[in-house]
Amino acid sequence: MYCTKFDGLGVAQSPFLHFFQFATSSKREEGANIPPNRVTSHSPMDDLFDDRSELAGTLLTLEFGQGGRIMQLWGADPTMPEDSDEFQFILGPVNFGEEFSEDYYPGTILLGARTTPEEPWIVSRNSNTNPNPESDESGEIKFEYDFPLLPEIRATGHYYEVGSPIPQVCWDVEIFNQGRVAIEIGELAFPFAFYNLMQGASKDEKTGRNPYQDRVYIHTFVGGTASYLHAQRMSNEAPGLLVFPGENTSWEMFTHVPRSLSSPFHWEGIPVVYLHSRASVEREEWPSHFFEHSSLILEPGDSKKFQTRFVTTSPTVGDSVFQTLSVCKRPSMRLLPGAVAPTNVGIAVEIAGVVPKRFAASTDAELETDTDETGGFCFVRPKKPGPVRLRFDHDRMGRSFANLLFIEPIETLISKRAQWICDHQFHEDSTSVLHHAILATNIRTQERISAAEDYAFPFALESGLSDLLFLAEKNAIDPSLEQIQLLDTVIADFLRDDVQNPADGSIGCVFADLHSVALNYGRPRIYPIVMNIYMAMHRISKNYGLGAKPAESYLHEAARTAYSLFQILRRPIAGGLPSYSRIDDLIRTLFEENYEELATELQTQAHAYAREVVRQPVTDVEDLSGDSGRFEELFWAATWLQDEGLVDIALRHAFAARDLGPCWWSYGSDYHIFHETEGVPHDAIVDKGQLLLGHSTVANSLMVMELLRSDGRKVEDTWIRAAFGGMLGVWGLIRADGAASMGFCPDAASGHFGFNPLTGDIGLSLFHYLRGVRSIVIPSRQFGVTTFGCHFEANETEYIVQPWDGVQQRISMRQIGFDCTIDVGKIKQLRLDIRKRFASIEISNSSDFDTKGNMIVRGLWGYRVTSGEQSFEASGGVVKVPFELKKQANTVIRLEVEK
């Protein structure tokens, strides 16, 4: 499945190191001019601490305030330290409840201790008795910290820069037990209040700067010595800021400040990383996290040193986090195909920065390992589905972890999810307007969301329709008579009877009560969902002769729904229009079915709206909402209008929101934060805790999948990994019985920690996967072959592809220049002659219905192709071959280029 070479992983060969060697050649001069974008904010603490101290490094400048906290942190682009503006990472003064952001600035130490197991934990944070920290001639900064509630503890802080192999600022914290009895340190934590607040963002009319340039996403990965926190600018511009544990230091947990999660602001809160967390978990009564919760015993006179390092990053140098950690001799990991994968596929873990000594898995798993002087490699394939914690010890006396998740075959999960919807989410109550609807459901209690107050907001109705959309799309691929009959019932008795007005196609999004029809027809987000439901029913009726209406009837309803959308769609909205991009499928189908006038009208309106989308930049304040859905819309609008610049902007903004830390719930994931302006959709959403693997995850991943259809454009490896990880990650939300969660919250401080119990809008993600996934083969001279969604083999005569993506209808072989797509059945195996004169495609039909379909093939070496006794002429290198499938049978189609 995956081949790689370790050539080029060595630090000495890294181009990233070259950039940093350039950066170290020019130190900041004392008294240098302040960059144009550098504005020093005023904090209430400034009045108490006017004489700030500053550590001026090569790429980082730290300004310290009361208690030794970092009040300002400026970073420069490591690739162009002299030619770029600096960026300020620290959050401005913000109060939430009775707390202030200054209390959680970097440099803050949260400490909890006790002297006997019977005593309660005493918690304190550092204050500074002397406002003038000690400095020596080298420019290093030293602090003597005071913990008022823990007089037995003395602590010192030491900030200094190391220039090799790249400029880093180190913060050494040493804790001494100066008492007469042993002390148990149960909490040692460092908060990092960086500028991730979305509230109050506005575009500067004079300079043209926008909020996406001034705010950051904070990506946090906790994996022992491989942990890090990455503050990435939302615009994906340099510099970013990477914070990670240094020598003899490890992180074991992260949360966000609880009060920041319940504040009214648009953000995910202030992150806190824990070096020891036992006291925190016991005191707050948090559920057990994914790691051990440890404490530290200090005997009288004993001390312990901890190190944290700061370094800037640049997104122009590939996977900047992986590269930076590797160069800094810290453990870093890369995964393929992602952190979630079927058990029969496995996950490849590439390690750099350290030399692994031994590997171990938390469950019974087959491990294939290899190491050399530059790093290591481990291929993990467990015996059964479930989470696997991969641990490796390394040569720098540390232990690191990756959190992987293995699932059943995706084809199996698709089937189970569809059946669970039919069994548990189909509502029957003849006294309610929700009779014969698919409803959002609490998967813990199996209670359907059917109370009138839940439908005062659009969330509940849109969630049910999202699962209806997935169910329809599943049956367009793998039909079930029972499920299609249920679809007909929902469309007739609920969608057409209570939600969409049959007179004009308008769609309501809320209910005033459970007896009247839906209200509020001006919400654009709901229209594309309904449009795509009809499109799926069109294919069901056309390909299998199933469904209550003729295929053209469903196609007309889809077109009328799209037309109704354009009657209310005046300008782009925050968060974009989920699944709207599939209007291209509708227009193309209308042309194919000879409805040219209708197709042309919709195409004109779609392109007019696309022009509005590209006129409204992603810098709009309302888009800073914790929802990445807008970027998909911008990408497809720019693609239709052939605006390559905006295509690139959409990709960069979308993937700035994604992390590649080897953790299944966050790898390649978008997240979603609910805000009061949307209305609290349900009591299962209690605060601003991140819901990872949000509904836009797959949709934004498909942007990269689209670029991978051909090799006409270079696609960054980081984007490819984030896209692959996002495509697979959402299947980690499907339970073994087919129940599904709308997202996962890894924050123990949040009220919805773990799997959210609501099905919510998970159907949107699953629909996008079914509609857009393809098996991809990407050959490379340097790294062998990278694949997604398939097993790949090459020998002296042919290429062999065996899809496992669950849909198995689309194959793209990049660089080889070969594509194969079918509209019914599933490709079991494709064999292609390496000279591209011959292809053999085995297709299965697991349904109970005979059907006819078409195969579209691009890239065979000739303009005329024979299949059996028929001959087909290619147009532009593309040939269309019709075929028939018998029920419950396999068919082999052989294509041969005519000489």
Side-chain angles (χ1 to χ4, degrees):
M1 179 211 67
Y2 173 75
C3 301
T4 187
K5 297 179 181 178
F6 287 95
D7 299 341
L9 290 180
V11 172
Q13 302 176 15
S14 172
F16 200 63
L17 181 58
H18 169 74
F19 287 128
F20 279 114
Q21 288 171 336
F22 174 77
T24 58
S25 65
S26 176
K27 286 272 189 176
R28 175 195 302 271
E29 296 183 4
E30 185 175 357
N33 292 331
I34 296 176
N37 68 328
R38 185 167 177 172
V39 179
T40 303
S41 62
H42 181 78
S43 163
M45 284 195 171
D46 292 345
D47 300 330
L48 302 175
F49 196 82
D50 294 326
D51 185 17
R52 292 188 179 184
S53 297
E54 178 180 294
L55 175 65
T58 305
L59 299 172
L60 288 168
T61 298
L62 285 65
E63 298 178 6
F64 297 93
Q66 188 179 38
R69 294 174 176 83
I70 301 173
M71 311 299 287
Q72 299 275 300
L73 192 158
W74 297 89
D77 182 349
T79 65
M80 297 185 298
E82 297 297 319
D83 300 327
S84 64
D85 290 346
E86 291 183 315
F87 183 80
Q88 204 290 105
F89 286 93
I90 303 299
L91 180 67
V94 176
N95 69 293
F96 40 93
E98 300 176 354
E99 298 190 88
F100 298 88
S101 58
E102 293 94 326
D103 297 329
Y104 298 99
Y105 281 172
T108 302
I109 303 172
L110 306 179
L111 198 63
R114 64 187 179 188
T115 54
T116 67
E118 293 77 24
E119 292 181 351
W121 297 102
I122 298 175
V123 181
S124 186
R125 75 181 72 204
N126 54 307
S127 63
N128 204 60
T129 56
N130 184 352
N132 296 305
E134 175 189 348
S135 301
D136 57 30
E137 295 181 357
S138 66
E140 300 176 359
I141 304 293
K142 296 182 179 180
F143 294 97
E144 182 85 19
Y145 298 119
D146 177 34
F147 294 90
L149 302 181
L150 296 168
E152 304 89 347
I153 292 177
R154 182 172 68 90
T156 62
H158 183 195
Y159 288 87
Y160 56 96
E161 183 179 66
V162 295
S164 177
I166 57 178
Q168 306 162 62
V169 171
C170 298
W171 175 34
D172 292 345
V173 173
E174 189 165 10
I175 298 176
F176 303 83
N177 179 2
Q178 59 185 7
R180 298 182 178 180
V181 298
I183 295 178
E184 181 181 9
I185 307 295
E187 177 178 324
L188 178 60
F190 302 147
F192 292 96
F194 292 137
Y195 199 9
N196 64 337
L197 184 69
M198 301 177 190
Q199 195 82 5
S202 61
K203 184 172 181 178
D204 189 315
E205 296 297 336
K206 293 182 179 179
T207 65
R209 295 187 60 80
N210 65 74
Y212 276 88
Q213 292 175 311
D214 295 334
R215 314 298 166 104
V216 299
Y217 296 111
I218 302 178
H219 304 304
T220 307
F221 166 65
V222 172
T225 57
S227 305
Y228 64 80
L229 183 150
H230 187 218
Q232 169 68 62
R233 292 173 69 181
M234 290 182 175
S235 60
N236 208 15
E237 297 176 76
L241 179 66
L242 186 63
V243 185
F244 56 94
E247 298 298 324
N248 303 312
T249 305
S250 177
W251 296 351
E252 68 180 29
M253 186 178 85
F254 88 94
T255 65
H256 290 83
V257 175
R259 284 188 181 272
S260 69
L261 292 175
S262 57
S263 72
F265 302 124
H266 292 188
W267 64 342
E268 67 269 31
I270 297 175
V272 182
V273 300
Y274 292 80
L275 290 71
H276 295 289
S277 59
R278 179 180 176 184
S280 312
V281 172
E282 292 180 0
R283 182 184 69 254
E284 302 290 344
E285 297 183 344
W286 286 337
S288 179
H289 214 266
F290 314 102
F291 306 100
E292 297 176 358
H293 304 290
S294 68
S295 62
L296 170 69
I297 303 295
L298 288 180
E299 298 293 337
D302 284 354
S303 66
K304 174 72 174 178
K305 183 181 289 187
F306 306 89
Q307 187 180 82
T308 303
R309 296 195 175 196
F310 302 80
V311 63
T312 57
T313 63
S314 174
T316 62
V317 189
D319 185 346
S320 58
V321 173
F322 178 83
Q323 296 280 15
T324 305
L325 291 174
S326 302
V327 171
C328 293
K329 301 290 188 181
R330 304 306 299 169
S332 56
M333 289 174 271
R334 290 198 292 200
L335 310 178
L336 270 179
V340 176
T343 53
N344 63 331
V345 173
I347 296 174
V349 182
E350 176 188 333
I351 298 161
V354 297
V355 179
K357 289 184 175 181
R358 62 186 65 86
F359 292 90
S362 59
T363 61
D364 188 13
E366 176 186 347
L367 303 180
E368 299 176 18
T369 65
D370 186 24
T371 60
D372 61 20
E373 67 278 4
T374 63
F377 176 86
C378 182
F379 184 75
V380 186
R381 182 182 283 121
K383 303 297 183 183
K384 60 182 181 180
V388 174
R389 188 183 184 198
L390 178 69
R391 187 195 80 202
F392 65 91
D393 302 336
H394 52 80
D395 59 337
R396 302 185 70 82
M397 304 299 291
R399 178 170 291 177
S400 301
F401 305 92
N403 291 301
L404 313 176
L405 180 65
F406 292 88
I407 57 177
E408 294 181 87
I410 296 176
E411 186 176 7
T412 301
L413 293 178
I414 292 171
S415 178
K416 287 185 174 182
R417 176 68 193 128
Q419 195 58 49
W420 204 92
I421 291 173
C422 296
D423 293 343
H424 300 279
Q425 295 182 238
F426 181 64
H427 190 62
E428 295 186 273
D429 180 1
S430 59
T431 66
S432 169
V433 72
L434 302 176
H435 182 54
H436 285 174
I438 298 292
L439 302 185
T441 300
N442 186 313
I443 62 175
R444 293 176 188 164
T445 64
Q446 297 190 13
E447 178 185 1
R448 290 185 286 273
I449 309 305
S450 58
E453 55 268 24
D454 292 319
Y455 289 85
F457 305 104
F459 172 81
L461 180 55
E462 290 178 4
S463 294
L465 291 177
S466 297
D467 278 326
L468 180 66
L469 173 58
F470 160 74
L471 186 63
E473 188 64 33
K474 177 268 177 188
N475 277 274
I477 297 167
D478 185 13
S480 160
L481 180 59
E482 180 182 0
Q483 292 177 6
I484 293 171
Q485 289 173 341
L486 184 142
L487 285 166
D488 286 330
T489 299
V490 176
I491 291 172
D493 295 353
F494 178 66
L495 178 58
R496 303 284 294 169
D497 192 48
D498 304 297
V499 178
Q500 183 176 28
N501 189 333
D504 60 5
S506 60
I507 305 173
C509 62
V510 298
F511 288 103
D513 54 50
L514 295 185
H515 303 287
S516 57
V517 295
L519 308 175
N520 293 10
Y521 307 105
R523 180 175 171 84
R525 288 172 64 96
I526 200 169
Y527 284 78
I529 299 174
V530 175
M531 176 191 76
N532 284 302
I533 291 172
Y534 289 132
M535 283 298 296
M537 295 302 298
H538 164 73
R539 295 197 305 278
I540 290 171
S541 180
K542 179 180 179 181
N543 294 333
Y544 297 96
L546 302 173
K549 295 183 177 182
E552 58 269 19
S553 176
Y554 291 118
L555 184 60
H556 285 166
E557 290 301 330
R560 195 155 67 109
T561 302
Y563 185 82
S564 296
L565 168 65
F566 289 124
Q567 305 313 299
I568 64 169
L569 193 58
R570 298 291 180 262
R571 61 185 300 273
I573 63 173
L577 298 176
S579 77
Y580 166 78
S581 60
R582 291 297 163 187
I583 195 170
D584 192 45
D585 292 344
L586 169 60
I587 294 170
R588 184 174 58 254
T589 302
L590 287 169
F591 275 120
E592 290 173 353
E593 299 291 334
N594 297 318
Y595 297 106
E596 294 188 2
E597 184 177 350
L598 182 56
T600 300
E601 171 65 20
L602 289 179
Q603 187 177 60
T604 300
Q605 298 203 43
H607 281 204
Y609 179 65
R611 288 189 288 272
E612 286 299 316
V613 170
V614 301
R615 287 194 192 104
Q616 297 286 333
V618 292
T619 58
D620 283 0
V621 56
E622 62 182 359
D623 278 335
L624 284 175
S625 59
D627 189 330
S628 298
R630 170 76 190 279
F631 306 127
E632 173 212 7
E633 185 178 71
L634 177 62
F635 172 87
W636 289 105
T639 298
W640 296 336
L641 299 177
Q642 299 181 345
D643 189 328
E644 288 295 316
L646 280 176
V647 166
D648 190 68
I649 288 175
L651 287 163
R652 292 192 176 279
H653 279 72
F655 286 92
R658 296 195 177 191
D659 182 36
L660 289 178
C663 215
W664 69 262
W665 54 82
S666 61
Y667 188 92
S669 165
D670 288 350
Y671 68 87
H672 186 66
I673 303 172
F674 285 95
H675 303 300
E676 284 78 2
T677 55
E678 302 168 5
V680 179
H682 192 266
D683 57 12
I685 310 295
V686 296
D687 56 36
K688 304 292 173 55
Q690 290 183 329
L691 276 179
L692 296 171
L693 299 168
H695 71 85
S696 63
T697 298
V698 175
N700 285 341
S701 296
L702 288 175
M703 298 189 298
V704 171
M705 303 290 276
E706 175 67 17
L707 297 182
L708 291 176
R709 294 181 64 178
S710 67
D711 58 355
R713 176 186 175 118
K714 183 181 182 299
V715 184
E716 294 186 18
D717 177 71
T718 306
W719 295 353
I720 293 174
R721 291 177 183 271
F724 288 1
M727 293 290 291
L728 291 172
V730 296
W731 295 103
L733 299 175
I734 311 296
R735 213 165 58 184
D737 62 351
S741 167
M742 66 180 290
F744 185 87
C745 178
D747 190 347
S750 171
H752 51 88
F753 170 72
F755 288 99
N756 190 280
L758 293 182
T759 54
D761 51 14
I762 179 66
L764 281 173
S765 289
L766 302 184
F767 159 76
H768 275 295
Y769 183 94
L770 299 187
R771 196 77 193 100
V773 71
R774 62 183 59 244
S775 295
I776 294 176
V777 179
I778 309 174
S780 168
R781 291 183 178 181
Q782 296 173 322
F783 299 106
V785 175
T786 298
T787 66
F788 174 82
C790 61
H791 299 290
F792 175 76
E793 179 184 345
N795 55 44
E796 294 179 353
T797 61
E798 61 183 357
Y799 305 112
I800 303 172
V801 179
Q802 295 175 314
W804 53 256
D805 59 46
V807 176
Q808 298 163 228
Q809 290 189 340
R810 298 171 281 269
I811 296 175
S812 291
M813 301 173 71
R814 206 169 189 257
Q815 277 87 20
I816 296 172
F818 182 85
D819 290 329
C820 179
T821 301
I822 59 176
D823 55 5
V824 295
K826 296 183 178 181
I827 300 174
K828 304 299 290 184
Q829 185 181 81
L830 182 147
R831 307 176 80 96
L832 174 67
D833 166 37
I834 61 171
R835 293 184 57 77
K836 302 172 72 173
R837 265 69 172 187
F838 173 83
S840 173
I841 304 97
E842 181 182 359
I843 304 175
S844 71
N845 179 12
S846 59
S847 75
D848 295 323
F849 313 100
D850 295 342
T851 185
K852 296 180 181 180
N854 291 290
M855 175 187 298
I856 307 296
V857 176
R858 181 185 66 84
L860 287 175
W861 207 266
Y863 57 84
R864 185 174 293 278
V865 174
T866 61
S867 177
E869 298 180 354
Q870 293 182 293
S871 179
F872 305 93
E873 187 168 330
S875 175
V878 177
V879 61
K880 182 177 181 180
V881 179
F883 62 88
E884 297 182 1
L885 294 177
K886 297 295 183 182
K887 62 182 179 182
Q888 299 291 331
N890 288 10
T891 298
V892 177
I893 299 175
R894 293 177 172 83
L895 306 178
E896 188 170 355
V897 175
E898 290 187 4
K899 295 182 180 179

